[in-house]
Amino acid sequence: MTETSITDLLARTHPYDALPAADRMTLAAGAETLEFADGDVIYALGAPVTALCLIVSGQVHITGADGIEVLSILGPGNSFGERGLMRDGMAPVNAVAVAPTQVIAISIEAFKAMIDAHPVAHRFFDRTRSAGAKRQDITTIAVDDLMTRTPLTCTPDAPLIEAAGKMRALGVSCIIVAEDDAVRGILTTGDITSRAVAEGLDLSTPVAQIMTPDPLTLPPSAMVADVLNAMVERAITHMPVTEAGRLVGILTQTDLTRFQATSSAALIHDIAKAPDAASIAKVTARIPELLVQLVSAQNPHQTVTRLITDIGDAATRRLLVLAEERLGPPPVPYLWLACGSQGRQEQTGVSDQDNCLILHDDATDADDAYFAALAKSVSDGLDQAGYFYCPGDMMATNLQWRQPLAIWKRYFQGWIDKPDPQAQMLASVMFDLRPIGGTTALFDGLQEQTLDTAKSNSIFVAHMVSNSLKHTVPLGLFRGFAMARAGEHKNTIDLKHNGVVPIVDLGRIYALTGALTQANTRARIVAGMAEGAVSAAGGRDLLDAYDLIADTRLEHQATQIKRGEAPDNFMPPAALSDFERSHLRDAFVVVKTMQSAAGSGRGYFS
């Protein structure tokens, strides 16, 4: 092709059409025209990528790790090679000509100069960037970034007058009571007023008799949103920060006064004071409005879903408190756990409830009447609050999911020993368990023991991998989307079951093969990369794809809410621009590549 014809082609192809004419001419002058025959391998998985290729004529198949399964079909006007160029310079897939094909090759230097100079090109080729900058507010900042790293401390046997003198000297409102860097309690000015002065205690009284023992703590990796939510739900003003059981800092309301509390914190505050399920439902009815605000502020999906899940957690805990007030104290210790999206902290604007109860092994058959009533009260309240009943009856109201700890251990052992389809389905759901309310000690060790047992059973792992590949991404022929052809959701793609769920399944497999205790999908992928359960290159690509698909899902729901519609997961691709459709297709290609790698045990899957 001549330089003029290349320039004309670039002017008709996005994103080159958005560049100044002079820059298009510069690209054309440095571009090389390459010819490939049917069957020629243009790029091989893991080989160096030497240029960005724009197809002029012919057809190119993008294939997975096995070199057989076709992930995408590219034709004239499509580009490929950018993923390698934006990453480590190595091809993450195979690109093979399946007909006589002509491409324009843009050198690495010219490609990088283009994306450095033109944001429109950078946004088009870099899926890690969104259409706008993410706003960082107080709720999304890590506790580590705001905490006081040298909190005032004293020992449990320190006299009250000594502790109060230290607090006055530094002008602080609390002192951490610690032994060997472990938090034993916290003493605040409020404690001194209400427990010491009001009761006329001697100034030599040890602080251990006045302090609040075993206060709630959070790790430095927690979000400030976690602190705010805990403060308003539990009516506390000081949060010790610990890591591996060691005191590393403190965060107080005073530290946060220059910031306005988030809407999620306000909702949780109202839930914590709600007198009944109906009042809780009035609060959770504001969740759609919160979702719109969070999405409109361009918060990433993991922040939005985490804050929304926090509200679901608070509603569950409040319903447990209300149930106990009505039924009386439980006959034995229990633990309420969430699974599904709540367990993974990934709830959106539309969620059902998936939960269960672990009872202490001292529970008797007669005790079940209490826990059956407790489960019904909480599940009915959650349904009233918009968390509809699980269609598969995976709820604590089902006796099967309301059992003593010993039974739960037998459940997991049985699913691992005999991994039939039903066992695989149940294990998939229950591997996402997360404690919500009750005696958390009942969960201690159960997850780690189950993961170790499961990881060592190669047959179970193989079945779980196979089961994880049943949810397919909505890719059709010729780079089109595979949409529903009939019914209520005709001409839409399901961004949950065919978008997010395949990635959730992969994250669960990484957690299983790496014996990782994380329940959150994004955290599982990150931990999987660190532990070698998934390769660094594959994990990075999957994170990018997950972020794009999950963000698109939330934006779709926010758009529906703003139109006055109930949010769902069924999005018509026609609602997206060509730019957005192109990147969404690329994200689905990444997911399909990772599924192929997981199924074959090669490539990106370590």
Side-chain angles (χ1 to χ4, degrees):
M1 294 181 68
T2 66
E3 184 177 323
T4 300
S5 59
I6 294 176
T7 302
D8 291 342
L9 176 63
L10 294 177
R12 301 192 304 269
T13 307
H14 193 70
Y16 316 99
D17 60 345
L19 307 182
D23 288 356
R24 282 200 299 271
M25 292 175 64
T26 300
L27 275 181
E32 182 182 3
T33 302
L34 303 176
E35 305 281 348
F36 297 95
D38 184 359
D40 284 352
V41 176
I42 303 173
Y43 289 131
L45 175 66
V49 178
T50 57
L52 173 73
C53 294
L54 171 62
I55 300 175
V56 179
S57 62
Q59 190 174 102
V60 174
H61 281 190
I62 303 299
T63 63
D66 58 8
I68 299 174
E69 184 180 18
V70 177
L71 303 176
S72 188
I73 299 173
L74 309 183
N78 295 139
S79 299
F80 62 93
E82 72 275 8
R83 285 174 56 206
L85 296 177
M86 297 295 288
R87 290 297 191 188
D88 53 9
M90 300 298 178
V93 290
N94 303 291
V96 182
V98 294
T101 300
Q102 184 182 63
V103 305
I104 294 172
I106 298 173
S107 70
I108 296 175
E109 294 75 19
F111 172 75
K112 290 185 175 179
M114 174 178 63
I115 63 174
D116 285 344
H118 303 292
V120 64
H122 201 159
R123 287 196 299 269
F124 183 85
F125 289 116
D126 186 358
R127 289 185 304 275
T128 67
R129 296 168 69 98
S130 66
K134 301 296 185 186
R135 185 187 72 174
Q136 185 183 45
D137 60 33
I138 184 66
T139 65
T140 62
I141 296 174
V143 169
D144 185 60
D145 293 330
L146 289 182
M147 70 182 186
T148 299
R149 298 182 183 277
T150 55
L152 185 64
T153 63
C154 69
T155 59
D157 58 357
L160 171 61
I161 190 171
E162 177 184 319
K166 287 182 176 181
M167 293 167 64
R168 185 182 66 176
L170 292 182
V172 297
S173 59
C174 73
I175 188 169
I176 302 296
V177 183
E179 271 186 321
D180 300 324
D181 287 334
V183 176
R184 301 303 181 204
I186 187 170
L187 181 70
T188 68
T189 52
D191 295 330
I192 294 174
T193 300
S194 62
R195 298 176 184 172
V197 176
E199 295 179 16
L201 296 183
D202 191 275
L203 294 179
S204 62
T205 303
V207 296
Q209 296 183 26
I210 309 165
M211 69 181 187
T212 299
D214 301 318
L216 177 68
T217 65
L218 284 174
S221 59
M223 294 190 302
V224 171
D226 297 328
V227 178
L228 287 168
N229 293 341
M231 283 181 172
V232 297
E233 182 180 2
R234 298 169 182 257
I236 57 178
T237 57
H238 304 77
M239 180 68 68
V241 182
T242 61
E243 190 168 36
R246 185 174 61 88
L247 177 67
V248 294
I250 190 169
L251 195 61
T252 71
Q253 273 193 345
T254 303
D255 299 322
L256 304 173
T257 52
R258 66 185 182 277
F259 298 100
Q260 184 177 5
T262 64
S263 296
S264 62
L267 266 61
I268 289 175
H269 175 272
D270 292 345
I271 287 172
K273 296 182 176 298
D276 50 40
S279 300
I280 294 174
K282 289 180 180 179
V283 179
T284 55
R286 292 149 54 190
I287 289 178
E289 178 184 354
L290 172 64
L291 185 145
V292 170
Q293 292 174 354
L294 293 171
V295 172
S296 298
Q298 298 178 339
N299 287 287
H301 69 93
Q302 63 267 28
T303 298
V304 178
T305 54
R306 175 64 177 272
L307 295 177
I308 290 177
T309 303
D310 286 346
I311 297 169
D313 291 354
T316 304
R317 285 191 288 268
R318 183 57 182 162
L319 288 166
L320 285 168
V321 170
L322 293 174
E324 286 192 26
E325 288 177 353
R326 183 171 59 84
L327 298 171
V332 296
Y334 72 88
L335 178 61
W336 184 282
L337 304 98
C339 44
S341 60
Q342 185 182 4
R344 297 189 305 273
Q345 296 180 300
E346 295 166 4
Q347 287 187 311
T348 66
V350 51
S351 296
D352 62 353
Q353 53 175 295
D354 297 282
N355 46 60
C356 65
L357 271 172
I358 297 179
L359 311 180
H360 192 279
D361 284 335
D362 288 343
T364 65
D365 290 343
D367 293 332
D368 187 61
Y370 177 94
F371 291 111
L374 178 87
K376 185 176 189 309
S377 179
V378 175
S379 289
D380 286 351
L382 288 173
D383 181 68
Q384 187 175 356
Y387 304 95
F388 54 88
Y389 297 121
C390 173
D393 204 20
M394 301 286 288
M395 299 184 298
T397 51
N398 183 339
L399 178 60
Q400 183 178 6
W401 310 126
R402 188 177 68 247
Q403 293 291 334
L405 178 59
I407 301 296
W408 277 100
K409 291 180 178 178
R410 289 205 291 270
Y411 280 166
F412 279 104
Q413 190 65 54
W415 296 334
I416 294 169
D417 291 342
K418 297 180 179 179
D420 56 36
Q422 177 73 0
Q424 294 166 36
M425 184 274 290
L426 295 174
S428 294
V429 174
M430 293 304 173
F431 271 129
D432 296 345
L433 285 176
R434 182 172 61 88
I436 302 297
T439 304
T440 56
L442 291 171
F443 194 60
D444 291 348
L446 175 61
Q447 186 183 38
E448 291 84 353
Q449 177 185 341
T450 300
L451 285 170
D452 287 341
T453 303
K455 180 182 179 181
S456 63
N457 188 319
S458 59
I459 296 177
F460 175 76
V461 172
H463 278 280
M464 288 292 288
V465 171
S466 176
N467 188 61
S468 74
L469 305 180
K470 291 180 179 178
H471 290 104
T472 59
V473 293
L475 287 175
L477 295 176
F478 307 110
R479 284 181 62 84
F481 291 111
M483 297 181 288
R485 297 183 177 181
E488 179 184 358
H489 304 298
K490 182 180 179 180
N491 296 328
T492 68
I493 54 178
D494 187 340
L495 289 172
K496 178 182 178 181
H497 291 102
N498 300 117
V500 171
V501 169
I503 305 171
V504 169
D505 289 340
L506 286 170
R508 191 180 294 115
I509 292 302
Y510 303 151
L512 173 61
T513 57
L516 309 173
T517 58
Q518 288 85 351
N520 177 265
T521 297
R522 209 175 192 285
R524 282 172 165 172
I525 298 172
V526 172
M529 293 164 62
E531 297 297 325
V534 60
S535 74
R540 287 196 303 266
D541 275 352
L542 189 59
L543 284 174
D544 288 348
Y546 182 39
D547 290 345
L548 180 60
I549 294 168
D551 283 339
T552 301
R553 179 190 182 197
L554 288 175
E555 289 163 4
H556 164 68
Q557 292 186 359
T559 299
Q560 290 180 303
I561 293 168
K562 286 188 285 188
R563 292 199 301 249
E565 303 170 1
D568 62 27
N569 297 296
F570 302 98
M571 185 195 72
L576 301 176
S577 66
D578 288 343
F579 171 87
E580 293 167 324
R581 284 197 297 271
S582 175
H583 286 308
L584 189 59
R585 280 193 298 263
D586 287 344
F588 289 140
V589 168
V590 169
V591 179
K592 192 170 184 179
T593 301
M594 296 302 293
Q595 287 182 315
S596 178
S600 65
R602 300 192 300 274
Y604 285 170
F605 191 71
S606 298

